[in-house]
Amino acid sequence: MEPERIDLSPLALPAARRTALAAAVLARAQVGRAAPRGPLAVLAGWARPTLAAAAAVAGVSLAALAWSGTRAATEESTQTLAEALIPERASPWVSEGATPSGEDLLAGWEASP
């Protein structure tokens, strides 16, 4: 069974009106189109956003530097970097340049949590 076809002929536009409507749509579409730009013009368009991003990065960097500078001035560190990174049991080996014995390693292994 085939469904009955709907007659859409009353919706058809006269040829003159259809041509005028198509011309109006194309005219509106051309208004938003800009002429093709060269590579330098495209790069120039990115100048302001690039400067804004650079200013934001510079501001955050300066704030971080200022914050770390005031924090370092108020807190005195009693540990050196080597003392902070090397465990207390291993510091004699590092300072003397000695190789730990198997007993030393076993004692360190058993003592670790």
Side-chain angles (χ1 to χ4, degrees):
M1 203 172 217
E2 194 172 313
E4 193 174 319
R5 291 186 177 216
I6 300 174
D7 183 22
L8 297 177
S9 60
L11 298 176
L13 294 174
R17 184 159 181 214
R18 183 176 38 238
T19 305
L21 187 59
V25 168
L26 289 175
R28 279 183 276 164
Q30 294 297 329
V31 169
R33 273 180 77 183
R37 299 184 335 179
L40 290 178
V42 172
L43 289 175
W46 280 96
R48 288 184 66 179
T50 304
L51 286 174
V57 168
V60 169
S61 300
L62 289 174
L65 286 173
W67 178 74
S68 68
T70 58
R71 196 173 128 226
T74 58
E75 295 179 9
E76 288 188 25
S77 178
T78 57
Q79 275 189 330
T80 63
L81 183 62
E83 291 171 344
L85 294 178
I86 299 171
E88 190 175 324
R89 282 178 247 134
S91 60
W93 305 327
V94 173
S95 63
E96 296 170 6
T99 305
S101 66
E103 295 160 355
D104 293 335
L105 290 176
L106 186 59
W109 182 267
E110 289 174 350
S112 66

